Amino acid sequence: MVGFPSRLFGGWRPGDLDGFLALGLDNLIQILLILGLCRTVLGYPDSLLFGVILPATGLSLLVGNVAYANQALQLARREQRDDCTALPYGINTISLLTYVFLVMLPVKLAALGDGLSEAEAITRSWRAGVMACLGSGLIEVAGALMVSRLQRWLPRAALLSTLAGIALGFLVLAFLLRTYSFPLIGLSSLAVILVGYFGRVRWPLPTGLSAVLIGAVLAWGSGMIQLDQEAVNNAFAEVGLHLPALQLSTLWLGRAELIPWLGIILPMGLFNVIGSLQNLESAAAAGDRYPTRPALLIDGTGTLVAAVLGSCFPTTIYIGHPAWKALGARSGYSVLNGLVMATGCLLGLFGLMAEVIPIEAGMAIVLFVGIAVSAQAFQATPARHAPAVVLGLLPGLAGWGAHLLKAGLRAGGAGTAALPFGPDLVKSLEGADVWADGLFALEQGQIITAMLLAAMLVDVIEQRFLAAAATGALASLLAWFGVIHAWTFSMSDTTLNLGWGTGQPWAIGYAAVTLVMLIAHWLPQQTET
């Protein structure tokens, strides 16, 4: 790293390499997911992917990573210490999946149904995705200006348990299932990670790098990877400099796609704001308390950079700051990650990397991050609040379960014009003890639901029944307007159903909860002995 500005790297630490491997692998997975979904689900051509979407994505990653590294250096100077870890930052996985399946795919299918050509349908779909990303960025920036009150109101158990629920589903369970699908590679890499990070054993090389190398050797040696020469040739053809350009005409022509999809864009923008707030609370619990407003503004700015340059995928502060801190990462890992990701996107290298590097070789690192975040929800909250943490985990797990269920339905041919999602799908699951309608209800507004439930139980544990009643009343109000729980079918998914009285059943349920809390306030209370 000789010659690189020391004010950005802030003094390179050995743990920064491990931190970069963990964050870089996570970002790589998101980029490979973009490539896979945009190619197979949306049918986007490589010219759009490598010429527009990935270069815009790369610059959004560079902007945020460098800004968060600088924020860590400022914190270190203010507090006169050298162990400040930059906030991990990257592509928002849940927004990625949501915008692909709830915005971009429905727009494309509708365009084809209107008689547009495949190319015209793809263009309209991409414009809708860019507008969704822009809307998310604007909400994130606006949220940065008013989120401090929310931060003061919510107890730590509510913030961390919600984060842990998402981590358990979309990181821990998702990658554990994948680990057991490729047991030789996955379990070997996982063992290296567990021994190095939790057992504190020093490998000859950094733990993360050791896991990736061992996994890659086993993947190639066992024959799991077979080179597709045609695919490799196509990937080589995309290697070259792809400079992004402002997509102002795209934003103008796509403005009509903003209002119809506000029911998805608004909740996802709020999801990103609250998720980032939770990650800031997670960082504070680990010892790095960053100012809320600047951190959220960086997040929103990164998403806006992505949108105005043509990417459909918002960025976010990542789950797992305590894990990166435990790795010994400081600020250098963030700068290096931004540079590597931007370079790979601008030079079109990720198509080639997708052909030669197995994700399975390093997914144990992501699994570790999920485990560390989930554990922190219990470790950094008072022991008596553990039941509230458990309750706060459940909506995130339900959301992941709904994602699995709908993926299975799509794999069976549902979600197309010939067989769109609808009530018959739920009826077909009756008797299977799946309770799909409950899964779909918890999925909608899951992050808000988790915080409300956990906050309410913290108040109950502390015998603050009037505060618990107020939380119940707020949940009832949000449910009535469909901000949480109310759902409806789109062609290929279930979506939030905003409107007057759309969540009436849940609103009535929460009203009953509120009444119980008010009664409890007037009943005799036991004191701890």
Side-chain angles (χ1 to χ4, degrees), residues 64 96 129 193 196 211 240 326 343 349 361 391 492:
L96 190 164
I193 291 293
T343 300
L349 298 176
L391 185 60
S492 60

Side-chain angles (χ1 to χ4, degrees), residues 384-406:
R384 66 181 181 277
H385 293 172
V389 172
V390 173
L391 185 60
L393 296 174
L394 301 182
L397 292 175
W400 183 68
H403 169 70
L404 283 187
L405 176 62
K406 290 184 286 189

Side-chain angles (χ1 to χ4, degrees), residues 74-364:
Q74 291 178 352
L75 180 64
R77 283 195 293 268
R78 281 198 309 271
E79 299 187 355
Q80 296 296 305
R81 56 192 181 93
D82 61 358
D83 64 341
C84 296
T85 298
L87 293 166
Y89 166 86
I91 301 161
N92 190 314
T93 308
I94 298 177
S95 292
L96 190 164
L97 296 172
T98 299
Y99 288 165
V100 166
F101 288 108
L102 301 191
V103 176
M104 298 156 76
L105 179 60
V107 168
K108 182 186 176 185
L109 294 175
L112 291 173
D114 291 340
L116 272 65
S117 67
E118 177 77 10
E120 291 171 327
I122 286 173
T123 298
R124 180 177 289 183
S125 168
W126 168 59
R127 286 174 180 165
V130 170
M131 291 306 299
C133 185
L134 178 70
S136 183
L138 292 174
I139 293 168
E140 290 170 29
V141 170
L145 305 178
M146 62 184 82
V147 79
S148 58
R149 292 184 179 179
L150 182 63
Q151 189 178 30
R152 289 194 297 269
W153 172 65
L154 285 169
R156 179 170 285 185
L159 291 169
L160 296 184
S161 66
T162 309
L163 199 63
I166 297 170
L168 278 175
F170 289 91
L171 293 182
V172 176
L173 286 172
F175 282 93
L176 187 64
L177 295 180
R178 191 160 185 167
T179 294
Y180 275 85
S181 296
F182 303 94
L184 174 62
I185 301 160
L187 290 175
S188 299
S189 298
L190 180 59
V192 173
I193 291 293
L194 296 180
V195 169
Y197 292 155
F198 291 117
R200 299 181 301 281
V201 170
R202 288 177 175 261
W203 293 97
L205 296 174
T207 298
L209 180 59
S210 298
V212 170
L213 290 177
I214 290 172
V217 169
L218 290 174
W220 283 97
S222 64
M224 191 196 86
I225 297 179
Q226 299 290 336
L227 278 183
D228 182 334
Q229 193 59 50
E230 182 179 356
V232 171
N233 291 339
N234 291 337
F236 265 117
E238 295 298 336
V239 175
L241 183 60
H242 303 278
L243 294 177
L246 288 174
Q247 301 293 330
L248 298 181
S249 61
T250 297
L251 294 172
W252 176 252
L253 294 172
R255 66 192 186 281
E257 302 292 348
L258 184 61
I259 299 300
W261 299 104
L262 276 179
I264 295 170
I265 297 169
L266 181 60
M268 286 311 304
L270 293 174
F271 178 97
N272 294 342
V273 171
I274 297 172
S276 295
L277 177 63
Q278 291 166 326
N279 288 318
L280 285 170
E281 182 67 18
S282 175
D288 294 337
R289 184 170 294 278
Y290 289 104
T292 301
R293 182 175 294 179
L296 294 182
L297 283 174
I298 292 171
D299 190 4
T301 300
T303 296
L304 290 177
V305 168
V308 300
L309 295 177
S311 172
C312 311
F313 307 110
T315 55
T316 190
I317 302 172
Y318 266 7
I319 290 174
H321 172 277
W324 272 277
K325 194 171 186 68
L327 295 178
R330 298 299 176 247
S331 60
Y333 89 101
S334 186
V335 177
L336 183 58
N337 179 72
L339 289 172
V340 170
M341 291 299 114
T343 300
C345 288
L346 294 174
L347 296 181
L349 298 176
F350 286 117
L352 185 60
M353 293 181 69
E355 301 298 327
V356 298
I357 298 178
I359 296 177
E360 291 75 16
M363 60 191 175

Side-chain angles (χ1 to χ4, degrees), residues 96 390 451 462-463 485 517:
L96 190 164
V390 173
M451 286 191 299
E462 300 296 337
Q463 298 184 326
H485 304 315
M517 297 301 168

